[in-house]
Amino acid sequence: MPNKLDLGAMFRSRSIAVIGAAKDITSLPGRPLHFLKGFYQGEIYPVNPNYSELNGLTCYPSISSVQAEIDLAIVVIAAAKVPEVIRECAAKGVKAITVLSSGFAEQKGRSGKRLQKMLKEIALKGDIALAGPNCAGLIGVQNGVVATFISGLDRGSILQGPVSFVAQSGALGSYLFAAAQDAGVGFDNWVSTGNEAVLGFHDFVSYFVKQETTRTIIGYMEDARDGKAFQTAALEALAAGKPLIILKVGQSKSGAKAASSHTGALAGADKVYSAAFEQCGVIRARNVEDLFDLASICGATHYPRGPRTALMTISGGAGILMCDRCEDEGLQVAKLKNETKDALKQVLPSFASVENPIDVTAELVANPDLLLKPMEITLADPHVDSLVIFLGLQSSNGLRLASLIIEAAAPTGKFIAVNWIAAPPGAVQKLRENSIPVFSDPARGIRSLGALVKYVQCRKLILSKNVAPRFESMPGSKKRTTGTGTSRRKLVQAQAIIQLARQEKRKALTEHEGKQILELYGICTPKRRLAFSAKDAAKAAEAIGFPVAMKISSSDILHKADAGGVLLNINDPTEVKRKYEELLSSVSAKYPMAKLEGVLVEETIQQGIEVIVGAKQDNCFGTVVTFGSGGKLVEMLQDSAIRVGPLGRSVALLMIKSTKVFKLLTGYRGDKKRDIAALVKVIVSAARLAEDLSENLASLDINPVLMLEKGKGAQAVDALFVLK
Amino acid sequence: MPNKLDLGAMFRSRSIAVIGAAKDITSLPGRPLHFLKGFYQGEIYPVNPNYSELNGLTCYPSISSVQAEIDLAIVVIAAAKVPEVIRECAAKGVKAITVLSSGFAEQKGRSGKRLQKMLKEIALKGDIALAGPNCAGLIGVQNGVVATFISGLDRGSILQGPVSFVAQSGALGSYLFAAAQDAGVGFDNWVSTGNEAVLGFHDFVSYFVKQETTRTIIGYMEDARDGKAFQTAALEALAAGKPLIILKVGQSKSGAKAASSHTGALAGADKVYSAAFEQCGVIRARNVEDLFDLASICGATHYPRGPRTALMTISGGAGILMCDRCEDEGLQVAKLKNETKDALKQVLPSFASVENPIDVTAELVANPDLLLKPMEITLADPHVDSLVIFLGLQSSNGLRLASLIIEAAAPTGKFIAVNWIAAPPGAVQKLRENSIPVFSDPARGIRSLGALVKYVQCRKLILSKNVAPRFESMPGSKKRTTGTGTSRRKLVQAQAIIQLARQEKRKALTEHEGKQILELYGICTPKRRLAFSAKDAAKAAEAIGFPVAMKISSSDILHKADAGGVLLNINDPTEVKRKYEELLSSVSAKYPMAKLEGVLVEETIQQGIEVIVGAKQDNCFGTVVTFGSGGKLVEMLQDSAIRVGPLGRSVALLMIKSTKVFKLLTGYRGDKKRDIAALVKVIVSAARLAEDLSENLASLDINPVLMLEKGKGAQAVDALFVLK
């Protein structure tokens, strides 16, 4: 988005024109004017040559005939006429437009796409902030800007609050708007992005981050479109301490299944999104209610500093239930100090439990005031980061209990939430008005708290350590130069190897070629020689030292072991010769169409733990790097970490630590520790290599990388480079 | 439960006495009478020597002074007086009692436990169906029996329906009752089980299964207490086609962490519950809302025959969202027939999508009648097992849409559910009245359908194949005799080995002893000999054949490999001798307190895939059998199947098939197929062995079992028997 576009003119506009306004308030073109009359305090200019007056307002034949400055134009006319109207708006100096009309790039055929291209060019030339086309409009709650037709507004009122919402679907965005309001989520802004001809999802996020009245941004996403721009906006939100919560749909695994490389299979499109989100501290909502729950919990006055959670309950069973969920959601059931337990004993009935979960017992029903002291005592415990209270029913005492909770919460800097089953509505409202999150199901409350704690920890990590992605577009970052003359020369060599394969129209490099590139990037590979005859192979084996491995060399066979093209532990020259012939004949019998270049004779690396390091190009996010349990079982184990590049050593180390295989590498059950430092280098080099060669390289598997003892390095035993 | 106990006298009682009734309707003893006056049509007899009249009813000084037959007595007096009153009730011929008083076994100290024992004996002697003590009472909605004090009744009405509810917590049971009613779940019966002195969770399940008015049973469970009795009741429910849905709490993993065997670690208490549930077709609810959602979906008129789901939506985004969830919940997005798609094209707008998910578009807002035809066409497709419709808002057309859905549903035998965001309440009510489940969140709707499909499939499997657990208590099953003279003799031999270890106060058997028992049960083990000197070891190795494995023999060292007590691939007698001394001295240096019996010299089994077969005794469910990926990484891989015994071959095969390692055993990526038939035998034998030796054997790990090529069997390479 060009910086000069003025999104304030959209969401805080002081004057609005409705181009194509109509009389029938049940019709799509009639609704925006109808809503504006109900909510908006600024100037409204209906534009339609067929009327001189509409709903009591003067109606203008064209935008240019309006004798006043216009911040925002709502366009609801036939698609074909839109470009001309945008041009008129540009001439008139209109700053912002939302195009509700459909019939653009979302349609089959070229004409819609052409129209959208025109519209984009005119808007950019005229410095117009344009939302849509084919969108449901937008809402700026502060100024009553209701530039939309959504039925979510039919209820006649909007619950104001600190949440701004970016929706990549008009209809669903409208329903979610209404349901969120029902769930007590108050809004600052709402926007439907439509076809995103000019302004995209990330532009709105970036704008909302800068609004003082917005504390939390929620989104419904189908496609980030520009991954780097999205991540940049997400990092802005993270830096500003404004949680960005996204419900991302489209998790179909079918894409991943068809992948030709292990890396492709491990890092399906949806997993790449999850990784990209996590790297930038985006909270991913699991479903619709989760989106609202998270929005609600992010509205809390204080965020928890850590995972140590005190649970206070009116029912023992609910206490156990919350404990169960804490374990699942990464929270710790806080260990209370002895002083805390002693103090609780003084104020609770003798049969109450003063161990966490603290059971205040059903005495609370008769005596609601019993809640205050235990809350104060528990919140004062330095081992407690947050307090979650469970209540049920209490129709007669509900408001009193809510007041007590608010009273106890006020002086503390700690996070407090309430799980309240079958709660009296008044009590819920009172708590929410005081920024205390309330959940109707204890599992949802604990899940939301777990997500919030993870957000806080993740934010701290990303902002304090050097692990945030660095993009060229970000302030302070610069394009990585290819560096010294040496590394430049290496890149040229690597590119030459790939060019050769491309000239031969190959889909992949041979293992030998791939390993040459790995070596150029400083990744160790076993000693090896490509042999073109049995005699040659035996000589190579003697030079390398026994036992050797023998592998068929062919860029037509991507997974050699599966094809029976790999033989291990060959112990003498005679066997090498015999196996050479066997290998060629058995593979060519199986794959008569495959071009076999010879046999790779290779040093045997003993006793390594197998891991995989991989990289691929993602359409949306660019270079994606994977690390995980490797070897033949890699796709079965599904133990991998995924990150969007570029990445440095600290991120590589985090990736390693997040996998199960990490435990093996650090000396599992009496085994020796492995060379993690060498592995970090392999991951960083693979990431850099993939970035450097991104134009031609679709994906890269280094599988297995054999992890040797600490100090002895890591060896890339196989390598598969798949070309674009 | 003795068969003659009359639970009908509880839930369908025609006359009720309230022993300890009080005037104050806000007090616990005052509430049952208050509720009965509001809901109950039968005879009510307050009993309290302090009043002659209570709330307009004659009050009696004692139960014996009531001159009428009494079906049910509600007891709300001090604990100490309860046994005497029960005795009086028995003399009077009262058939059922619920004891609301607390102060029994739930209390610290002996007196409460003694009181409960007395109460139990008197009740059993008098053939009284007794619920509690320390419970919140019960409700039989059909007859207005409200023998309880729960605040969930304060609202003054009960939504009647086909669901009966068993709660192992009074307070939470009350809140869940209220919240379920808010969620539209109508009840037939409700009971709080309290301390379960006489009647337990399973007794109520068993009774509700037999009630025509109950279609679904839901439960809140903390402890099944008698696992076999519970499973038996659950199988009754399954056979009757009445879904049993349980929210089970207490998943803490701490127990599993402390386990001394791999099997103990794999099969923690909570996982055993999940396995026991699955074996009997019990649907496990994940949380409170899930419990209600499942109760609601189980009320549908027709259950889906399979997983093929048609999705119909008013918003494209919601369609994707539902698709995502289908994949996660084991449902298939149905492939529509071409005829169906062609027919849909005829009735939908040109820009609609006739591929599943079928997007009927926002045209539906203006024209609700558009919904009928597409529904009819889709439901007629033989590739479609069920239909899920997504709607949002529609405040003006909601009722019309509901009517259309009901109309289309009527003639079809297929399952239909609606996900409706921000729905108009009237429309939801109308659909529910017609047994069409409605969900406020699409993810919840799809998750519930997934659970229902799994239930249907699971029920079919359990009832048609021979995979249901068979208990002695079940009709038609008989105690397995130890069979022929041979197998009897083997059992005696196995017991003798264990007795020896017990006499020596050992906590475990040595590997050699364990393997002897395995052999008695027909499980193959490698050739081996226990050697007591280096020379002896070398001789043994020569007899067995090289290479050999050497393992320290000690019942004090449970995990030999971790202790450095296992050496593999020893190739000649000299090495054997040297290693013998090394092994003894290195292990005794590490574990100076361990008694070392010598060294086990063993045949090397090559090229097997490592699996684990295990068994343990569970306090609640008895013998539990595990199978999974084995070897050193077993606890890291967490790839295992768990079943409660006894079990036969078909269950063993299902266990194998449910793990990831199954893929390896069937020839993964060019590998050879393994001997699954032999593995089935190992699992069945291990289960039988554990059952036979259950008195002394706490747990058994056979890890690894090496899986050889098809026809070549499976070898138990290591065995750990931990004694009680």
Side-chain angles (χ1 to χ4, degrees), chain A residues 250-251 289 324 441 562 669, chain B residues 250-251 289 324 441 562 669:
Chain A
Q251 302 173 11
E289 287 179 343
D324 288 351
D441 179 317
D562 300 356
R669 293 194 161 239
Chain B
Q251 301 173 11
E289 287 179 342
D324 287 350
D441 179 316
D562 298 356
R669 291 194 161 241

Side-chain angles (χ1 to χ4, degrees), chain A residues 306-319:
Chain A
R308 300 169 308 171
T309 308
L311 304 167
M312 190 168 283
T313 175
I314 192 173
S315 139

